[in-house]
Amino acid sequence: MSQYQAVKGTKDIFPDEAVQWQFVEGVVRWLAGLYGFNEVRTPAFEYTELFQRGIGATTDIVGKEMFSFLPDPQGRSLTLRPEMTAGVMRAALQRNLLSQAPVHKLFYISDLFRKERPQAGRQRQFTQFGAELLGVSSPAAVAEVLSFMMGVFETLGLKGLRLRINTLGDLEDRARYREALRTYFLPYADELDESSKERLEKNPLRILDSKNPALKDMIFGAPKLFDHLKPEAVEEFEEVLSLLRDRGIAYEVDHLLVRGLDYYCHTAFEVTSSELGAQDAIGGGGRYDGLARELGGGKDMPAVGFAVGMERLLIAMEKQGLLEGLKPEGPKVFVVVQQQELSGHGMQVAFQLRRAGISTELDLAGRSMKAQMREANRLGSAYALFIGQTEFESGQYGLKNLVSSEQETLGLEAVIERLREPSIQESLKG
RNA sequence: GUGAUUGUAGCUCAGUUGGUUAGAGCGCCAGGUUGUGGCCCUGGAGGUCGGGGGUUCGAGUCCCCUCAUUCACCCCA
């Protein structure tokens, strides 16, 4: 084994797997286009304060999962981005996007970093695709974002998903509810587990998230956030649900759903897959109108977004056999030379074929004809082009169809004619 | 951070109560056809048995340490 191996929680993706990624990414980009989301790319690291302010200092992500470092002893601390929303919002504020147009629809496919203990569906470097809709967060905007997300799953053919949705109310609602929760849990303080005790102080909402079975009854009896909402918030939530029904998107209302990032308000949602292990959340998101103010934007900015874990998505697809048959595309033709002295001419022919837009492979290792043919077969080449002494002299090559095994003798122009595929433009017109 | 799990060829794994030069399948390379692949046959390359220490006449097999893996808690995508 090599002296070096991939860092804990990271992995290499070789061509066989890379084509699966390309397939999913292609669907994401295609649907993003249909829904009018344009790609945004932000830096892989930001100032640490951005995440502390944006995500919330009491969250696990900020508290113990960030890869932070000092670029130099006097410099400001930097952090490898653990999620995308804070960075996108920072970029939007910095560019003052909303002064250029009142609504922006952005999507991304990006690598993120979190210092967690790796397990099934959880790595330290992972990839999310997601969308951020800035400028409006109306029920229509929420439905727009959810439709895009669910549309990706539907297009990919993924089954067995659960969409759970909840409303967290506005900041005032949450503040009132926080106090109600604290009052409720305080008498039970001794029965709470360590982490819940801490949350009681800092962020009692997240006690509801606990999966600790010992706390189940206590949580069940807790006051409901829903009862602390203003009527407008309830009304708005109903409208979101109504829009989802209109679009045939199945959901379950779950009043215990609390997202782990502090910036969410009003609608929050999460999608889980039955194909995954303990880490079954495949995507999630919600509204975050207050994030802009939190980041020094001076005022709230209506915004709603989601993020989906690519690795988890791929695991679920694999389990459902949705990735079968995906493999790197082989060349159209493999140039086979009889002997090494002809390899120079073989290269010339290969380059001319490539210039003509035909994917062409050739042997670079000076191997036997048999080995070259094996290689052509392994790569899944459609044709083999034989160049022996006779062909070299006559300029008439042997073109063999590797599926039908039929072979014909043709000049280079005729070979190109036979192998040339219609260009993309042509096939689009056709 | 806590708990458990597993580390033998590129991959998936066998290796019996510790006993001579560590095996299989797949993959790879070559030959069988010195001008033609897939199937088949034959042969070959490839392993300091994760690393270190210990017990023993003898350790892939037992003990300790260490590193890594995987799964779960936690949290999240």
Side-chain angles (χ1 to χ4, degrees), chain A residues 4-83:
Chain A
Y4 294 107
Q5 48 191 131
V7 172
K8 182 201 286 285
T10 68
K11 65 175 221 170
D12 306 305
I13 294 172
F14 285 98
D16 281 347
E17 204 181 336
V19 293
Q20 303 174 353
W21 282 76
Q22 289 162 12
F23 171 64
V24 174
E25 287 166 4
V27 167
V28 169
R29 288 174 189 285
W30 180 64
L31 271 173
L34 292 181
Y35 278 83
F37 287 86
N38 292 307
E39 183 173 9
V40 61
R41 302 191 188 200
T42 64
F45 49 84
E46 301 271 1
Y47 291 116
T48 301
E49 306 103 81
L50 175 75
F51 300 118
Q52 290 171 335
R53 291 303 299 274
I55 303 172
T58 66
T59 60
D60 280 14
I61 292 179
V62 170
K64 53 188 187 192
E65 296 173 2
M66 295 204 298
F67 282 106
S68 298
F69 57 98
L70 285 170
D72 58 77
Q74 279 77 42
R76 276 212 269 169
S77 172
L78 305 180
T79 294
L80 259 27
R81 60 183 175 205
E83 56 101 52

XYZ file of all heavy atoms in Angstrom, chain A residues 4-83:
646
model
N 0.976 7.157 1.255
C -0.067 8.166 1.454
C -1.426 7.600 1.076
O -1.547 6.841 0.130
C 0.213 9.393 0.584
C 1.472 10.121 0.995
C 2.610 10.051 0.223
C 1.504 10.862 2.171
C 3.765 10.708 0.596
C 2.656 11.529 2.559
C 3.786 11.452 1.770
O 4.922 12.106 2.144
N -2.412 7.988 1.825
C -3.762 7.659 1.392
C -4.640 8.886 1.540
O -4.253 9.865 2.184
C -4.321 6.466 2.178
C -4.150 6.543 3.675
C -4.500 5.204 4.330
O -3.747 4.686 5.134
N -5.641 4.660 3.976
N -5.804 8.812 0.924
C -6.711 9.962 0.948
C -7.000 10.331 2.394
O -7.137 9.469 3.259
C -8.005 9.634 0.215
N -7.089 11.608 2.658
C -7.366 12.118 3.999
C -8.699 11.554 4.495
O -9.626 11.351 3.720
C -7.410 13.662 3.960
C -7.887 14.235 5.283
C -6.037 14.206 3.599
N -8.756 11.288 5.775
C -9.978 10.770 6.407
C -11.199 11.570 5.957
O -11.195 12.803 5.995
C -9.838 10.886 7.921
C -11.026 10.344 8.712
C -11.098 10.912 10.117
C -10.072 10.349 11.056
N -10.381 8.970 11.495
N -12.210 10.819 5.527
C -13.444 11.496 5.147
C -13.441 12.077 3.741
O -14.370 12.791 3.374
N -12.392 11.759 2.965
C -12.381 12.192 1.564
C -12.277 10.964 0.680
O -11.892 9.895 1.157
C -11.186 13.110 1.250
O -9.974 12.344 1.332
C -11.131 14.274 2.229
N -12.632 11.100 -0.568
C -12.473 9.952 -1.453
C -12.183 10.374 -2.875
O -12.457 11.496 -3.284
C -13.699 9.060 -1.401
C -14.970 9.698 -1.927
C -16.097 8.662 -1.922
C -16.931 8.769 -3.166
N -17.866 7.678 -3.328
N -11.616 9.424 -3.622
C -11.284 9.675 -5.016
C -12.416 9.164 -5.893
O -13.027 8.145 -5.587
C -9.990 8.946 -5.383
C -8.856 9.305 -4.433
O -8.569 10.498 -4.285
O -8.291 8.377 -3.825
N -12.665 9.850 -6.956
C -13.691 9.422 -7.890
C -13.034 9.159 -9.238
O -12.520 10.066 -9.871
C -14.792 10.483 -8.019
C -15.519 10.607 -6.688
C -15.764 10.114 -9.127
C -16.501 11.745 -6.627
N -13.043 7.885 -9.635
C -12.437 7.499 -10.896
C -13.478 7.500 -12.014
O -14.679 7.611 -11.734
C -11.769 6.127 -10.736
C -10.482 6.204 -9.957
C -10.455 5.902 -8.605
C -9.322 6.622 -10.578
C -9.270 6.011 -7.873
C -8.133 6.732 -9.862
C -8.110 6.418 -8.520
N -13.018 7.375 -13.264
C -13.928 7.553 -14.401
C -15.247 6.781 -14.308
O -16.297 7.325 -14.637
C -13.091 7.074 -15.588
C -11.701 7.462 -15.212
C -11.625 7.218 -13.719
N -15.209 5.519 -13.871
C -16.444 4.733 -13.815
C -17.502 5.417 -12.963
O -18.696 5.324 -13.236
C -16.165 3.336 -13.231
C -15.552 2.432 -14.278
O -15.586 2.810 -15.464
O -15.036 1.363 -13.916
N -17.039 6.070 -11.885
C -17.966 6.725 -10.978
C -18.237 8.161 -11.433
O -19.333 8.693 -11.245
C -17.383 6.715 -9.561
C -18.415 6.831 -8.472
C -17.766 6.848 -7.097
O -16.635 6.322 -6.954
O -18.383 7.395 -6.184
N -17.228 8.752 -12.032
C -17.371 10.146 -12.464
C -18.517 10.295 -13.461
O -19.218 11.310 -13.454
C -16.062 10.651 -13.067
N -18.744 9.269 -14.283
C -19.832 9.394 -15.263
C -21.187 9.444 -14.557
O -22.127 10.073 -15.043
C -19.831 8.243 -16.300
C -18.612 8.333 -17.174
C -19.931 6.891 -15.635
N -21.272 8.800 -13.377
C -22.523 8.869 -12.620
C -22.759 10.295 -12.129
O -23.878 10.807 -12.180
C -22.469 7.917 -11.428
C -22.188 6.472 -11.839
C -21.989 5.546 -10.647
O -21.926 5.996 -9.498
N -21.903 4.251 -10.909
N -21.672 10.904 -11.668
C -21.767 12.303 -11.233
C -22.174 13.199 -12.388
O -23.044 14.065 -12.256
C -20.422 12.762 -10.659
C -20.187 12.262 -9.277
C -19.833 10.987 -8.924
C -20.305 12.998 -8.062
N -19.730 10.898 -7.561
C -20.004 12.121 -7.009
C -20.624 14.318 -7.773
C -20.023 12.509 -5.676
C -20.640 14.724 -6.443
C -20.340 13.817 -5.404
N -21.533 12.982 -13.530
C -21.851 13.820 -14.696
C -23.316 13.685 -15.078
O -23.968 14.659 -15.454
C -20.957 13.430 -15.877
C -19.523 13.852 -15.692
C -18.577 13.098 -16.618
O -18.997 12.420 -17.546
N -17.291 13.205 -16.348
N -23.825 12.463 -14.961
C -25.218 12.226 -15.309
C -26.146 13.046 -14.408
O -27.031 13.761 -14.881
C -25.524 10.731 -15.182
C -26.979 10.391 -15.297
C -27.671 10.634 -16.474
C -27.653 9.820 -14.227
C -29.018 10.323 -16.579
C -28.996 9.505 -14.316
C -29.681 9.765 -15.504
N -25.923 12.960 -13.101
C -26.776 13.686 -12.158
C -26.588 15.193 -12.326
O -27.556 15.956 -12.353
C -26.472 13.261 -10.707
C -27.254 14.135 -9.725
C -26.828 11.797 -10.507
N -25.341 15.619 -12.467
C -25.082 17.046 -12.660
C -25.767 17.561 -13.912
O -26.289 18.677 -13.944
C -23.570 17.308 -12.755
C -22.856 17.177 -11.424
C -21.336 17.088 -11.576
O -20.837 17.204 -12.716
O -20.656 16.889 -10.559
N -25.775 16.713 -14.935
C -26.434 17.115 -16.176
C -27.918 17.362 -15.967
O -28.477 18.335 -16.470
N -28.550 16.476 -15.208
C -29.982 16.632 -14.920
C -30.221 17.907 -14.107
O -31.160 18.662 -14.370
C -30.522 15.393 -14.171
C -31.908 15.669 -13.599
C -30.570 14.191 -15.111
N -29.350 18.147 -13.125
C -29.482 19.354 -12.301
C -29.377 20.605 -13.185
O -30.210 21.514 -13.096
C -28.403 19.392 -11.203
C -28.369 20.766 -10.527
C -28.657 18.302 -10.175
N -28.382 20.635 -14.050
C -28.181 21.817 -14.902
C -29.342 21.991 -15.880
O -29.781 23.105 -16.155
C -26.858 21.690 -15.673
C -25.660 21.863 -14.774
C -24.343 21.608 -15.497
N -23.261 21.588 -14.535
C -22.760 22.682 -13.951
N -23.239 23.869 -14.285
N -21.808 22.581 -13.056
N -29.807 20.884 -16.377
C -30.913 20.941 -17.328
C -32.160 21.525 -16.675
O -32.791 22.442 -17.200
C -31.181 19.526 -17.857
C -32.291 19.440 -18.848
C -32.329 20.012 -20.091
C -33.526 18.738 -18.675
N -33.516 19.715 -20.701
C -34.272 18.932 -19.874
C -34.074 17.963 -17.656
C -35.540 18.376 -20.045
C -35.333 17.413 -17.841
C -36.052 17.620 -19.025
N -32.499 20.988 -15.485
C -33.686 21.482 -14.793
C -33.496 22.916 -14.302
O -34.440 23.710 -14.313
C -34.030 20.571 -13.623
C -34.951 19.416 -13.993
C -35.094 18.460 -12.819
C -36.319 19.934 -14.399
N -32.281 23.231 -13.888
C -32.004 24.612 -13.468
C -32.335 25.547 -14.621
O -32.947 26.605 -14.433
C -30.544 24.754 -13.054
N -31.965 25.126 -15.819
C -32.273 25.935 -16.997
C -33.766 26.079 -17.198
O -34.283 27.164 -17.450
N -34.494 24.971 -17.060
C -35.950 25.005 -17.250
C -36.621 25.912 -16.227
O -37.605 26.575 -16.526
C -36.541 23.593 -17.123
C -36.187 22.599 -18.232
C -36.870 21.263 -17.977
C -36.614 23.152 -19.584
N -36.069 25.920 -15.004
C -36.682 26.711 -13.937
C -36.083 28.111 -13.834
O -36.469 28.887 -12.969
C -36.539 25.993 -12.588
C -37.579 24.919 -12.359
C -37.415 23.646 -12.881
C -38.739 25.189 -11.638
C -38.377 22.668 -12.688
C -39.703 24.219 -11.434
C -39.517 22.953 -11.959
O -40.468 21.991 -11.768
N -35.111 28.408 -14.660
C -34.559 29.748 -14.669
C -33.588 30.056 -13.542
O -33.433 31.203 -13.141
N -32.909 29.027 -13.039
C -31.860 29.278 -12.042
C -30.511 29.287 -12.756
O -30.217 28.401 -13.545
C -31.859 28.184 -10.962
C -33.018 28.276 -10.002
C -34.237 27.675 -10.314
C -32.901 28.970 -8.809
C -35.308 27.767 -9.440
C -33.975 29.065 -7.933
C -35.186 28.459 -8.242
N -29.710 30.307 -12.474
C -28.389 30.407 -13.102
C -27.286 30.092 -12.097
O -27.437 30.328 -10.900
C -28.188 31.809 -13.678
C -29.118 32.055 -14.858
O -29.157 31.272 -15.809
N -29.902 33.117 -14.767
N -26.179 29.587 -12.616
C -25.133 29.087 -11.721
C -24.361 30.209 -11.037
O -24.017 31.214 -11.647
C -24.150 28.202 -12.478
C -23.095 27.609 -11.553
C -22.211 26.586 -12.241
O -22.290 26.458 -13.462
O -21.446 25.916 -11.525
N -24.070 29.985 -9.757
C -23.218 30.888 -9.005
C -22.060 30.068 -8.442
O -22.235 28.899 -8.096
C -23.996 31.590 -7.870
C -24.564 30.591 -6.874
C -23.121 32.604 -7.145
N -20.873 30.651 -8.457
C -19.712 29.966 -7.861
C -19.056 30.930 -6.886
O -18.701 32.047 -7.270
C -18.704 29.571 -8.946
C -19.309 28.668 -9.997
C -18.241 28.081 -10.887
N -18.847 27.371 -12.010
C -18.236 26.451 -12.730
N -16.973 26.146 -12.466
N -18.842 25.842 -13.728
N -18.901 30.492 -5.678
C -18.268 31.346 -4.667
C -17.007 30.649 -4.165
O -16.825 29.447 -4.399
C -19.229 31.615 -3.491
O -19.501 30.382 -2.832
C -20.531 32.231 -3.970
N -16.143 31.389 -3.477
C -14.867 30.802 -3.019
C -15.069 29.650 -2.044
O -16.081 29.595 -1.334
C -14.172 31.971 -2.313
C -14.820 33.198 -2.858
C -16.227 32.826 -3.160
N -14.096 28.750 -2.017
C -14.181 27.584 -1.134
C -13.918 27.969 0.312
O -14.229 27.209 1.217
C -13.194 26.506 -1.577
N -13.321 29.133 0.556
C -13.189 29.565 1.948
C -13.586 31.022 2.117
O -13.562 31.800 1.167
C -11.793 29.279 2.519
C -10.631 29.722 1.673
C -10.175 31.015 1.725
C -9.981 28.813 0.851
C -9.093 31.422 0.974
C -8.888 29.211 0.084
C -8.445 30.523 0.145
N -13.975 31.344 3.335
C -14.479 32.681 3.669
C -13.897 33.033 5.036
O -13.328 32.196 5.727
C -16.016 32.657 3.786
C -16.765 32.214 2.536
C -17.097 33.377 1.592
O -16.724 34.524 1.912
O -17.706 33.124 0.543
N -14.104 34.288 5.430
C -13.727 34.652 6.787
C -14.602 33.872 7.770
O -15.803 33.716 7.556
C -13.893 36.160 7.010
C -12.886 36.958 6.240
C -13.280 37.828 5.232
C -11.527 36.819 6.508
C -12.346 38.554 4.508
C -10.589 37.538 5.785
C -10.995 38.398 4.789
O -10.058 39.098 4.075
N -13.987 33.402 8.821
C -14.685 32.552 9.780
C -15.923 33.225 10.359
O -16.949 32.577 10.576
C -13.719 32.138 10.907
O -12.609 31.443 10.319
C -14.400 31.243 11.927
N -15.834 34.540 10.585
C -16.980 35.242 11.189
C -18.230 35.110 10.336
O -19.343 35.126 10.858
C -16.699 36.742 11.376
C -15.449 37.076 12.138
C -14.356 37.516 11.169
O -14.342 38.670 10.735
O -13.506 36.644 10.852
N -18.058 35.019 9.030
C -19.231 34.919 8.161
C -20.105 33.746 8.575
O -21.319 33.859 8.679
C -18.810 34.756 6.700
C -19.986 34.529 5.736
C -20.747 35.834 5.512
C -19.516 33.953 4.410
N -19.462 32.605 8.836
C -20.230 31.419 9.201
C -20.727 31.506 10.643
O -21.820 31.041 10.958
C -19.395 30.162 8.986
C -18.954 29.992 7.557
C -17.616 29.980 7.222
C -19.902 29.887 6.545
C -17.217 29.837 5.901
C -19.505 29.749 5.214
C -18.157 29.726 4.885
N -19.912 32.106 11.511
C -20.349 32.251 12.905
C -21.610 33.088 12.972
O -22.559 32.750 13.666
C -19.232 32.888 13.732
C -18.055 31.942 13.920
C -16.850 32.617 14.540
O -16.676 33.831 14.432
N -15.999 31.825 15.179
N -21.608 34.205 12.223
C -22.785 35.063 12.210
C -23.928 34.414 11.442
O -25.077 34.443 11.870
C -22.460 36.413 11.559
C -21.540 37.286 12.365
C -22.088 37.555 13.753
N -23.377 38.250 13.738
C -23.510 39.569 13.675
N -22.444 40.324 13.631
N -24.698 40.121 13.663
N -23.627 33.860 10.301
C -24.666 33.374 9.401
C -25.349 32.109 9.877
O -26.569 32.012 9.893
N -24.560 31.120 10.236
C -25.133 29.819 10.585
C -25.593 29.808 12.035
O -26.566 29.141 12.389
C -24.104 28.696 10.335
C -23.643 28.726 8.882
C -24.685 27.344 10.662
C -22.500 27.791 8.582
N -24.898 30.555 12.885
C -25.262 30.590 14.297
C -24.184 29.974 15.159
O -23.789 28.824 14.950
N -23.720 30.746 16.131
C -22.578 30.314 16.938
C -22.886 29.077 17.780
O -21.978 28.337 18.150
C -22.125 31.468 17.834
N -24.170 28.831 18.070
C -24.490 27.684 18.937
C -24.691 26.393 18.143
O -24.880 25.340 18.715
C -25.773 27.942 19.734
O -26.877 28.001 18.815
C -25.693 29.228 20.515
N -24.667 26.469 16.833
C -24.898 25.251 16.053
C -23.684 24.340 16.107
O -22.562 24.783 16.349
C -25.171 25.596 14.580
O -24.026 26.281 14.055
C -26.393 26.496 14.434
N -23.920 23.050 15.879
C -22.820 22.088 15.860
C -21.825 22.408 14.764
O -20.619 22.239 14.922
C -23.370 20.668 15.660
C -23.899 20.100 16.963
O -24.070 20.883 17.910
O -24.141 18.886 17.026
N -22.354 22.835 13.625
C -21.474 23.109 12.486
C -20.412 24.131 12.881
O -19.221 23.920 12.675
C -22.286 23.645 11.287
C -23.190 22.542 10.743
C -21.366 24.156 10.197
C -24.047 22.984 9.578
N -20.855 25.227 13.474
C -19.908 26.268 13.854
C -19.128 25.863 15.104
O -17.926 26.095 15.210
C -20.646 27.601 14.091
C -19.714 28.632 14.715
C -21.222 28.114 12.783
N -19.813 25.212 16.014
C -19.187 24.887 17.287
C -18.063 23.888 17.194
O -17.074 23.989 17.911
N -18.187 22.882 16.321
C -17.155 21.846 16.339
C -16.850 21.207 14.993
O -16.061 20.276 14.930
C -17.558 20.759 17.346
C -18.943 20.199 17.132
C -19.337 19.279 18.291
C -20.653 18.577 18.000
N -21.236 17.891 19.156
N -17.441 21.690 13.917
C -17.234 20.976 12.662
C -16.520 21.773 11.585
O -16.405 21.324 10.453
C -18.591 20.501 12.112
C -19.267 19.485 13.017
C -20.671 19.155 12.554
O -21.102 19.676 11.520
O -21.336 18.361 13.247
N -16.027 22.974 11.912
C -15.430 23.775 10.851
C -13.926 23.540 10.726
O -13.214 23.407 11.711
C -15.703 25.261 11.102
C -17.174 25.611 11.028
S -17.490 27.340 10.622
C -16.751 28.187 11.993
N -13.476 23.514 9.490
C -12.043 23.496 9.209
C -11.583 24.946 9.129
O -11.761 25.611 8.108
C -11.761 22.808 7.872
C -11.814 21.313 7.928
C -12.882 20.617 7.376
C -10.789 20.588 8.526
C -12.930 19.232 7.411
C -10.828 19.196 8.564
C -11.900 18.520 8.007
N -11.017 25.444 10.223
C -10.575 26.828 10.246
C -9.063 26.891 10.310
O -8.421 25.982 10.837
C -11.166 27.542 11.468
O -12.580 27.539 11.391
N -8.510 27.968 9.791
C -7.054 28.105 9.801
C -6.672 29.579 9.690
O -7.448 30.407 9.224
C -6.421 27.307 8.657
C -6.932 27.702 7.296
C -6.216 28.578 6.498
C -8.131 27.192 6.813
C -6.678 28.945 5.232
C -8.614 27.549 5.553
C -7.890 28.426 4.768
N -5.463 29.862 10.108
C -4.932 31.213 9.996
C -3.963 31.259 8.821
O -2.988 30.518 8.806
C -4.189 31.596 11.285
C -5.064 31.918 12.493
C -4.199 32.033 13.745
C -5.843 33.205 12.274
N -4.228 32.115 7.832
C -3.336 32.191 6.674
C -1.951 32.684 7.082
O -0.951 32.288 6.514
C -4.030 33.183 5.749
C -4.977 33.949 6.607
C -5.360 33.040 7.742
N -1.894 33.551 8.079
C -0.617 33.980 8.654
C -0.908 34.412 10.081
O -2.051 34.702 10.424
C 0.011 35.115 7.840
C -0.893 36.318 7.750
O -0.978 37.058 8.742
O -1.544 36.502 6.697
N 0.107 34.477 10.930
C -0.121 34.698 12.359
C -0.966 35.927 12.669
O -1.753 35.924 13.600
C 1.294 34.864 12.914
C 2.147 34.121 11.964
C 1.511 34.263 10.615
N -0.811 36.981 11.866
C -1.582 38.192 12.153
C -2.910 38.235 11.415
O -3.706 39.128 11.626
C -0.771 39.450 11.776
C 0.233 39.857 12.826
C 1.476 38.953 12.777
O 1.952 38.626 11.690
N 1.967 38.539 13.924
N -3.104 37.244 10.509
C -4.269 37.313 9.630
C -5.573 36.963 10.317
O -5.599 36.500 11.448
N -6.666 37.230 9.613
C -7.980 36.850 10.111
C -8.201 35.379 9.849
O -7.796 34.837 8.813
C -9.056 37.649 9.363
C -9.293 39.033 9.968
C -10.751 39.422 9.780
N -10.958 40.146 8.527
C -12.172 40.407 8.034
N -13.251 39.992 8.671
N -12.308 41.075 6.909
N -8.902 34.739 10.747
C -9.179 33.314 10.609
C -10.060 33.055 9.390
O -11.018 33.777 9.131
C -9.884 32.810 11.874
O -10.316 31.484 11.683
N -9.695 32.010 8.639
C -10.478 31.599 7.472
C -11.078 30.227 7.740
O -10.579 29.469 8.568
C -9.597 31.546 6.229
C -8.821 32.811 5.874
C -7.993 32.574 4.617
C -9.765 33.989 5.682
N -12.140 29.899 7.016
C -12.793 28.607 7.193
C -13.235 28.049 5.850
O -13.811 28.765 5.031
C -14.021 28.752 8.119
O -13.588 29.113 9.434
C -14.801 27.455 8.206
N -12.920 26.770 5.648
C -13.426 26.059 4.471
C -14.947 25.994 4.591
O -15.462 25.547 5.614
C -12.864 24.640 4.445
C -11.689 24.282 3.540
C -10.786 25.456 3.225
C -10.907 23.122 4.114
N -15.649 26.412 3.566
C -17.109 26.548 3.685
C -17.782 25.237 4.083
O -17.607 24.209 3.416
C -17.704 27.060 2.374
C -17.423 26.126 1.206
C -17.955 26.659 -0.103
N -17.556 25.775 -1.184
C -17.430 26.134 -2.452
N -17.688 27.373 -2.823
N -17.062 25.264 -3.357
N -18.590 25.275 5.169
C -19.323 24.081 5.594
C -20.720 24.023 4.981
O -21.418 23.016 5.135
C -19.418 24.261 7.112
C -19.432 25.743 7.313
C -18.657 26.354 6.177
N -21.134 25.079 4.301
C -22.418 25.106 3.603
C -22.373 26.300 2.655
O -21.447 27.111 2.697
C -23.577 25.221 4.592
C -23.488 26.413 5.526
C -24.380 27.553 5.087
O -25.569 27.304 4.868
O -23.878 28.690 4.959
